[in-house]
Amino acid sequence: MSNLLINEPPLQVLPSLAAAIGLNEALLLQQLHYWLRHAKVEHDGKMWIYKNLDKWKEQDFPFWSKNTIKRSVKSLKDQNLIFVEKLAPNSFDRVNHYTINYAELMKIELKHRQTPEVTEQPKMSPSNKSDWAQEQPKMSPSHEPKMGPSLREQQETNKESGRTQKIEGDVLAVRDSNTESISNWQPPSKETMNSLLFMAGKKLDMTDSQYLSHVSDFKAYYEEQAANGKPIKRENLRQSKLKNWLASIADRQPKQAADTVARPHSNRSDAFSQTNEPRLTRQQQIEKNKQAMIEAGLQA
C-alpha cells in the first residue's frame, strides 16, 4: 500500500467554508476548532489554546512556511473570525493564545444558507444536438466575425490574469524569503554585543533570557519591515542595527553615577597622573621587584 494514501489523521475542510473565507484560512480555522476541543485555558467565558509558530508548523502544517501561517492568522483576525491574545501572566512569555469567534462564523453560515446555489445547465438531448447542427449553417456571414474577436479577447484576458497571478506569486515568494532570512538569523552572542556596546560608550545590564527577549523583539520588527519591502540582508548591517537597538534600550535605563562607562583607554593618562613618584629605569624596576620578593620570602 502506498504511504501517500491516508494512514494518518487527515486535514479536513468544507469547500463552502473555503469559498467563503479562503482555503488556507479554512484549514487553520478547522485545526483551531479541533484543538479547542482539548483546551484547558479559560478566559472571558471562552476556551483558549496557546501555540507559537513552530508548533503550528510542526503539529499541523509542515507543508507551509511560518510566514504563510502568519498571513493566514492575520486574515482570520481581519475577518473577525478568531481572537488572539497573550494571556500568560509572565511578561517574558510571548506565546499567543487563540480562540474562535463562533458568533461571526454563524453569520457566514446563515449567509451561505440564504445564497441560492448555482445549478448546472441542463444537458442537451441528442435530438437537440442534431437540431442545432442542422440550424448552424443557416447563420448569416455577418454573425460569424463577431465570434472571433470575443474569443481572442477572452484569451488575452486569461493570459493577462495568468501573468498578474505569477507576478503576485513571485513577489510573495521574495517577501517570504526576506522575512525568513531574518527569523532564521543567528545573532551574535551576548558577550559580543556587550563588547560592541562598550566600544560605543554604552552599558546594558541584561541576563541571557533578557538578551534573547531583546533579540526576539528586534527580529519581529525587522520581519515586518522585510514583509513591507525593506529587508536588511547584509550580516554587518544586521549586527550594526542590533547594536543600535540595544544602545537605545541602554539609554532608557536609569542612569547611575557609579556606573559611568568610558571608552577604552580614555583614562590611561589619568592613571599616570595619579602618582607623583619619579619613573624608574628598567634595571631599577627589576631590582625593586627582586627586593619585594625577598621581603615576601619568595626568593632567597
Side-chain angles (χ1 to χ4, degrees):
M1 181 179 293
S2 173
N3 291 329
L4 295 178
L5 298 177
I6 296 177
N7 290 315
E8 57 182 316
L11 293 173
Q12 297 179 335
V13 64
L14 289 176
S16 56
L17 179 62
I21 68 174
L23 177 58
N24 290 359
E25 290 83 350
L27 283 169
L28 195 148
L29 193 67
Q30 178 63 49
Q31 283 304 103
L32 177 54
H33 174 67
Y34 166 78
W35 288 115
L36 284 174
R37 294 169 59 191
H38 309 280
K40 297 180 181 179
V41 177
E42 183 175 359
H43 172 72
D44 197 22
K46 305 179 185 68
M47 300 305 295
W48 301 69
I49 62 137
Y50 56 92
K51 273 195 180 190
N52 57 25
L53 289 176
D54 291 328
K55 286 299 181 182
W56 276 118
K57 182 173 177 62
E58 175 187 346
Q59 297 178 343
D60 302 282
F61 307 110
F63 47 86
W64 281 353
S65 68
K66 292 181 183 179
N67 288 296
T68 299
I69 298 172
K70 288 169 66 175
R71 283 198 301 270
S72 300
V73 169
K74 183 179 184 303
S75 177
L76 288 172
K77 287 175 61 179
D78 292 343
Q79 296 181 68
N80 198 30
L81 288 170
I82 64 172
F83 299 120
V84 182
E85 294 185 18
K86 292 179 175 61
L87 302 179
N90 187 348
S91 60
F92 291 106
D93 188 348
R94 303 174 59 82
V95 177
N96 285 328
H97 287 68
Y98 301 84
T99 193
I100 295 176
N101 184 356
Y102 286 102
E104 188 67 24
L105 188 61
M106 181 59 68
K107 294 179 183 178
I108 294 178
E109 181 179 353
L110 292 175
K111 183 178 179 181
H112 176 73
R113 290 177 182 176
Q114 294 170 0
T115 303
E117 297 183 358
V118 178
T119 57
E120 296 183 357
Q121 294 294 331
K123 296 182 179 179
M124 295 175 64
S125 65
S127 60
N128 290 337
K129 290 182 180 179
S130 61
D131 294 341
W132 177 82
Q134 294 174 2
E135 293 294 330
Q136 187 178 9
K138 297 180 181 179
M139 294 176 62
S140 63
S142 60
H143 291 162
E144 293 180 1
K146 295 181 180 179
M147 298 177 64
S150 63
L151 180 58
R152 286 196 297 270
E153 289 173 2
Q154 183 63 42
Q155 290 174 342
E156 291 297 326
T157 301
N158 292 341
K159 288 181 181 179
E160 185 64 28
S161 176
R163 284 194 293 268
T164 302
Q165 290 178 0
K166 184 179 185 303
I167 292 173
E168 291 177 351
D170 292 343
V171 170
L172 289 176
V174 170
R175 289 185 179 180
D176 285 351
S177 176
N178 288 337
T179 53
E180 285 183 358
S181 69
I182 293 293
S183 61
N184 296 330
W185 177 55
Q186 296 297 324
S189 65
K190 185 185 75 172
E191 290 73 19
T192 299
M193 295 311 302
N194 274 334
S195 298
L196 293 176
L197 289 172
F198 186 78
M199 293 292 292
K202 305 288 183 180
K203 182 178 180 181
L204 179 60
D205 294 322
M206 54 183 170
T207 63
D208 290 342
S209 61
Q210 288 173 334
Y211 176 64
L212 292 177
S213 178
H214 295 326
V215 170
S216 177
D217 292 341
F218 172 84
K219 284 185 175 182
Y221 175 78
Y222 280 101
E223 280 179 28
E224 184 175 354
Q225 293 292 100
N228 292 330
K230 301 177 182 178
I232 47 173
K233 297 182 178 181
R234 297 200 307 273
E235 175 66 24
N236 60 341
L237 186 56
R238 291 176 181 174
Q239 183 170 296
S240 175
K241 286 186 176 294
L242 179 58
K243 182 196 73 174
N244 294 337
W245 183 281
L246 297 174
S248 67
I249 297 175
D251 290 338
R252 295 195 298 269
Q253 281 190 333
K255 302 295 182 182
Q256 297 181 3
D259 277 345
T260 303
V261 180
R263 295 181 182 273
H265 312 309
S266 62
N267 291 333
R268 180 174 294 174
S269 60
D270 295 340
F272 285 109
S273 64
Q274 288 174 359
T275 175
N276 294 323
E277 296 181 1
R279 297 185 63 179
L280 302 177
T281 65
R282 177 177 176 80
Q283 187 60 37
Q284 289 173 332
Q285 185 65 50
I286 292 173
E287 293 298 330
K288 183 177 181 180
N289 291 343
K290 285 182 180 180
Q291 185 63 32
M293 293 176 68
I294 293 172
E295 291 176 357
L298 299 177
Q299 182 174 336

